[in-house]
Amino acid sequence: LNASEAQQTTISSLKSLPSTFKLAFGFFSDNVPLAGYRRKSYMLLGWAIASLSMIILLTFSDLSVEALAFNNEQTMSNGDGSSGRYLLRHLQSSATSHFGEQTNIVGAPPSIPFLSFTLLMFGSGFWFADVMGDSLVAEKAKLEPESSRGHLQSTCYACRFFGLMIAAPLSTVIYSKYGPQSVVMLMAALPSLILPLIYNLKEKKDIEVASTREQCGEIWNTVCSRAVWQPMGFVYLYNVLQVGNAAWKQFLKTVLEFTSNQLNSLLIVAYVLLWLGIMAYKKFFITWSWRSVYVSTTLLNGLLSALQILLIKGITFGLSPFLFALGDDAFADFIGGIQFLPTTIMMVHLCPAGSEGASYAMFTTMSNSAYTLASAFSTLLLGVWDVSKDAMERGDLTGMINLTALTTLIQVSGILFVGLLPRTKEDLNNLHSDPMSGSKIGGFIFLFVTFASVLYSIVVGVLNIVA
């Protein structure tokens, strides 16, 4: 579509903007049942909206490879065409090989505003359904026997990340071979296929719902508990300190000359190892104390991050730079998968009955917003040393080495706060049942950080769109 970098940023911001309203989605479903149900009706509605948005995109625009090739040809006719000539040849050859002799164009590709609107609509439906799914898991997980708490969540998230692991390479292959139209058709069809399953989902109908005021009071009492603001304080501080090297991808492309296929391979392997990390926790580490999991995985992640300095210096022990980078980057996601489940299990333990939607969304929003802030810090650190593309092309990698060392130290420093994290579920329950562990100041700080983070995400998203 020949979208500029600014337009691509806008589209990405619009697609993810609905995720900042997870708390509102959860609170609404807790208080306003639809057709007698608090979860499955809204989940069905969310996936229906997501599917409808892609149907609208397919109906009112032409995403075929012929249309895109024609659009690129028209664009190149207004200039020298050097930037788009390879894409044009690729699309035209794809059109000929997969659809036979090329035919006249019968439609036009979507405009940038129209594509943005449909992706915003898709994101709204997706995140609405996602919040309902999390709420259902939180409700069902609390029914597990104390001895097996966490197994349901680990199974659900293992299935979720397995789907992500399969979808990443499959969508890449389909896009490369058949073009975007086939991918969008799948995005329209898959949500529709699960609607009957959602309809048959077992959920109690017409249950008594506490008043909005009572639910707000219950949430306030929850966040004032030391069992909430202390461990969630650790989660927030730890995630904020996961500051990455924002120049790393540029280094891979400029210095190591990684191709787009190699970068995609890194992403695909990362998804695979993320799923393996989930399975490893479920199989081997679920009985470990939460502190032990975080300390051991953080130190291991620090070691892997430090190995990136060797790659920058060209020391790869006989391995190709791609394989060495694969080990560094991908295994970090394996560690992330192991760390993911203890946090979500803890969050479910903290949810008050009847307000699972709002409370779980609130906890995940706080956790995710810390990553957003960490990303902002990563960008700020780019100005500390010269890690520009020009410096890399000159062979000046001193800034890259310094920045990698600094971000590694910042990431590892998260374990300094591990004392805030309860060791086990039993410790968390003891904190929760202690009548003297409440603090209104702690509850206020928790809510302030949560809502300030939501506001920050909204402002950043809007500014990206306006800019």
Short mmCIF file of all heavy atoms in Angstrom, two decimals, residues 50 84 112 118 124 132 168 174 238 307 314 340 348 374 420 432:
data_model
loop_
_atom_site.label_atom_id
_atom_site.label_comp_id
_atom_site.label_asym_id
_atom_site.label_seq_id
_atom_site.Cartn_x
_atom_site.Cartn_y
_atom_site.Cartn_z
N ALA A 50 -14.79 -8.89 15.53
CA ALA A 50 -13.49 -9.12 14.89
C ALA A 50 -13.67 -9.76 13.51
O ALA A 50 -13.04 -9.33 12.53
CB ALA A 50 -12.63 -10.02 15.78
N GLY A 84 10.12 0.13 -5.39
CA GLY A 84 9.04 -0.84 -5.41
C GLY A 84 9.11 -1.86 -6.52
O GLY A 84 8.24 -2.69 -6.65
N ILE A 112 -5.52 3.83 3.31
CA ILE A 112 -4.93 3.77 4.64
C ILE A 112 -5.98 4.06 5.72
O ILE A 112 -6.05 3.32 6.72
CB ILE A 112 -3.74 4.74 4.77
CG1 ILE A 112 -2.63 4.35 3.78
CG2 ILE A 112 -3.20 4.76 6.19
CD1 ILE A 112 -2.05 2.97 4.02
N THR A 118 -10.76 -0.67 9.93
CA THR A 118 -11.09 -2.09 10.08
C THR A 118 -10.18 -2.76 11.11
O THR A 118 -10.62 -3.63 11.87
CB THR A 118 -10.97 -2.82 8.73
OG1 THR A 118 -9.67 -2.60 8.16
CG2 THR A 118 -12.03 -2.32 7.76
N SER A 124 -10.71 -3.96 18.69
CA SER A 124 -11.73 -3.78 19.72
C SER A 124 -12.42 -5.10 20.04
O SER A 124 -12.59 -5.47 21.20
CB SER A 124 -12.76 -2.74 19.27
OG SER A 124 -12.15 -1.49 19.03
N MET A 132 -12.77 -11.35 28.27
CA MET A 132 -13.76 -12.33 28.71
C MET A 132 -13.11 -13.70 28.93
O MET A 132 -13.44 -14.42 29.88
CB MET A 132 -14.89 -12.46 27.67
CG MET A 132 -15.68 -11.19 27.43
SD MET A 132 -16.33 -10.45 28.93
CE MET A 132 -15.32 -8.97 29.05
N ALA A 168 2.32 -18.07 13.70
CA ALA A 168 3.41 -17.20 13.22
C ALA A 168 4.03 -17.71 11.92
O ALA A 168 4.05 -16.98 10.92
CB ALA A 168 4.46 -17.04 14.31
N ILE A 174 1.72 -18.36 4.21
CA ILE A 174 0.52 -18.05 3.42
C ILE A 174 0.64 -16.67 2.77
O ILE A 174 0.30 -16.48 1.60
CB ILE A 174 -0.74 -18.12 4.31
CG1 ILE A 174 -0.99 -19.56 4.75
CG2 ILE A 174 -1.97 -17.57 3.58
CD1 ILE A 174 -2.14 -19.71 5.72
N TYR A 238 9.77 -4.89 38.55
CA TYR A 238 10.57 -5.84 37.77
C TYR A 238 10.36 -5.61 36.27
O TYR A 238 11.34 -5.57 35.51
CB TYR A 238 10.18 -7.27 38.15
CG TYR A 238 11.02 -8.33 37.47
CD1 TYR A 238 12.19 -8.78 38.08
CD2 TYR A 238 10.66 -8.86 36.25
CE1 TYR A 238 12.98 -9.75 37.46
CE2 TYR A 238 11.44 -9.82 35.62
CZ TYR A 238 12.59 -10.26 36.23
OH TYR A 238 13.38 -11.21 35.61
N LEU A 307 26.03 -12.26 26.66
CA LEU A 307 26.64 -12.93 25.51
C LEU A 307 26.47 -12.12 24.23
O LEU A 307 27.23 -12.33 23.26
CB LEU A 307 26.03 -14.33 25.34
CG LEU A 307 26.43 -15.38 26.37
CD1 LEU A 307 25.67 -16.68 26.12
CD2 LEU A 307 27.93 -15.62 26.35
N GLY A 314 32.19 -10.06 17.57
CA GLY A 314 32.49 -11.06 16.55
C GLY A 314 32.99 -12.37 17.11
O GLY A 314 33.51 -13.22 16.37
N PHE A 340 6.23 -16.17 33.07
CA PHE A 340 4.88 -15.68 32.81
C PHE A 340 3.84 -16.29 33.75
O PHE A 340 2.99 -15.57 34.31
CB PHE A 340 4.51 -15.99 31.34
CG PHE A 340 3.11 -15.61 30.97
CD1 PHE A 340 2.79 -14.30 30.68
CD2 PHE A 340 2.10 -16.56 30.89
CE1 PHE A 340 1.50 -13.93 30.33
CE2 PHE A 340 0.82 -16.22 30.54
CZ PHE A 340 0.52 -14.90 30.26
N VAL A 348 -4.66 -14.41 39.76
CA VAL A 348 -5.95 -15.08 39.96
C VAL A 348 -6.26 -15.23 41.44
O VAL A 348 -7.40 -15.05 41.88
CB VAL A 348 -5.95 -16.45 39.25
CG1 VAL A 348 -7.12 -17.30 39.72
CG2 VAL A 348 -6.04 -16.27 37.74
N ALA A 374 9.02 0.57 30.16
CA ALA A 374 10.37 0.05 29.91
C ALA A 374 10.78 0.31 28.46
O ALA A 374 11.95 0.64 28.18
CB ALA A 374 10.43 -1.45 30.22
N LEU A 420 9.85 -8.57 47.87
CA LEU A 420 8.44 -8.16 47.89
C LEU A 420 7.52 -9.28 47.45
O LEU A 420 6.31 -9.23 47.71
CB LEU A 420 8.23 -6.94 46.97
CG LEU A 420 8.96 -5.65 47.34
CD1 LEU A 420 8.79 -4.62 46.23
CD2 LEU A 420 8.43 -5.12 48.66
N HIS A 432 -3.06 -12.41 52.66
CA HIS A 432 -4.43 -12.03 52.32
C HIS A 432 -5.36 -12.13 53.54
O HIS A 432 -6.30 -11.34 53.68
CB HIS A 432 -4.93 -12.92 51.19
CG HIS A 432 -5.91 -12.25 50.29
ND1 HIS A 432 -5.82 -10.94 49.91
CD2 HIS A 432 -7.03 -12.73 49.67
CE1 HIS A 432 -6.82 -10.63 49.11
NE2 HIS A 432 -7.57 -11.70 48.94
#
